Amino acid sequence: MRGIRDPRLLPIAEKVMEGKRLSFEDGLVLYQTKDLPTLMRLANLVRERKHGHKTYFVHSIRVSQTNICYVGCTFCAFQRRFGEEGAWDFDVDEVVAWVKERYQPGLTEIHLTAGHHPKRPFSYYLDLVRALKENFPGVQVKAWTAAEIHHFSKIARLSYREVLEALKEAGLDAMPGGGAEIFAERVRRRIARAKVSAEGWLAIHRTAHELGIPTNATMLYGHIETLEERLDHMDRLRRLQDETGGFMSFIPLAFQPDGNQLARELGKKEFTTGLDDLRNLAVARLYLDNFPHIKGYWATLTPELAQVSLDWGVTDIDGTLIEERIVHMAGSPTPQGLTKRELARIILMAGRIPVERDALYREVRVWDRVEA
Ligand code: SF4
């Protein structure tokens, strides 16, 4: 590869071109280098090797059955207590009615994540999956983070395996990747003390994969974590993926500095910069060689930066969302949803091929043009 300005990138570029795995130290160089054009070219090389110009999105609706939560993660602006202003707590019928009101033809995925409600029994969650599958036949239910699965196992006094088996039996198709935050204990103690541990998160995903439930993985960055801690996070995911092969995509999520305790404690008002976001995506694409997709989640990146990210290793910009609430309650200035046409246009205008997919990354439709 020509034009490499940072000599430390030479051996890394060789490894990438030969399809060899990068070391932890290589990852640190990628985080530190000022030679961003080379970083971008390397990430793009891997993205095109894996998927050519294809770029995926999903017609999906975001649902949070409640925002009542007792866990108290310090970065979270979504959680509410019982009776607090802005709290909601839907019954099964109310969730179904909420989705019916917003239902659009061709909807592929219902994505459910919410707070840890202290009073709902586990049977409520099974009923919810069953009701969604009954009322919206053909739509896939991608539901509940490992943190929520851990909560269910505590309230139902069941093992992770028993919880996941019951959810799968009820119709669960896939799991989102939230709750991972940053695995390092130092960070977790400060930002997510009462949540599932890193080991618990990984054990739940391992079990889900063993049961044939594919999952995603996230990383919340841009707060107090070091670059080594970001890499350690990815390293643990890479090792689990070597074992199971059950992860579909990796989704870096930028910390949103509004309305949460952590932002107040840190005196932090700024969002991560575009370059930090892009660099992080590129490092993920290069380091996580065994992950099929790196997702540039437009709701935190902005649609404009998500479009740019397609040259930095990203092969998926997530979905229509319809009414996203979690990152928007933390200050994300992006729209709460985009249409399929808007998503396809963003991708086409970047010179890539928009592919509408389902929750399991099966192709639904290739958009070769955008209808007026
Ligand atoms: S991130 Fe999730 S578990 Fe943590 S406080 Fe917010 S809703 Fe609760």
Side-chain angles (χ1 to χ4, degrees), residues 66-80 114-116 145 147-148 181 191-192 195 326:
T66 186
N67 58 352
I68 291 174
C69 188
Y70 64 83
V71 173
C73 302
T74 57
F75 61 84
C76 176
F78 172 77
Q79 60 192 310
R80 295 288 184 276
H116 294 29
T145 65
E148 290 162 290
E181 322 314 355
I191 71 168
K195 194 174 230 169
I326 294 179

Side-chain angles (χ1 to χ4, degrees), residues 61-66 90-103 107-114 123-144 167 170-174:
I61 186 166
R62 294 277 160 141
V63 187
S64 295
Q65 76 275 0
T66 186
F90 292 157
D91 290 334
V92 170
D93 292 347
E94 288 171 322
V95 174
V96 171
W98 194 91
V99 177
K100 271 191 183 151
E101 267 171 42
R102 293 158 180 81
Y103 182 85
L107 190 77
T108 305
E109 173 191 278
I110 297 175
H111 174 130
L112 275 166
T113 54
S123 57
Y124 162 81
Y125 301 95
L126 296 174
D127 291 344
L128 195 44
V129 177
R130 284 191 205 104
L132 290 169
K133 296 294 279 192
E134 273 164 31
N135 282 276
F136 307 100
V139 176
Q140 293 161 328
V141 175
K142 184 177 83 187
W144 299 311
L167 286 169
L172 183 77
D173 294 290

Side-chain angles (χ1 to χ4, degrees), residues 43-63:
N44 190 51
L45 191 145
V46 175
R47 88 81 92 191
E48 289 186 4
R49 187 189 287 154
K50 283 184 183 282
H51 299 286
H53 289 296
K54 285 185 173 178
T55 301
Y56 294 79
F57 68 96
V58 61
H59 193 19
S60 160
I61 186 166
R62 294 277 160 141
V63 187

Side-chain angles (χ1 to χ4, degrees), residues 8 53 81 89 110 133 170 208 229 279 299 322 360 367 370:
R8 296 177 305 163
H53 289 296
R81 304 277 161 180
D89 180 14
I110 297 175
K133 296 294 279 192
E229 285 162 343
R279 179 196 291 275
I322 300 182
L360 308 176
W367 287 61
V370 178

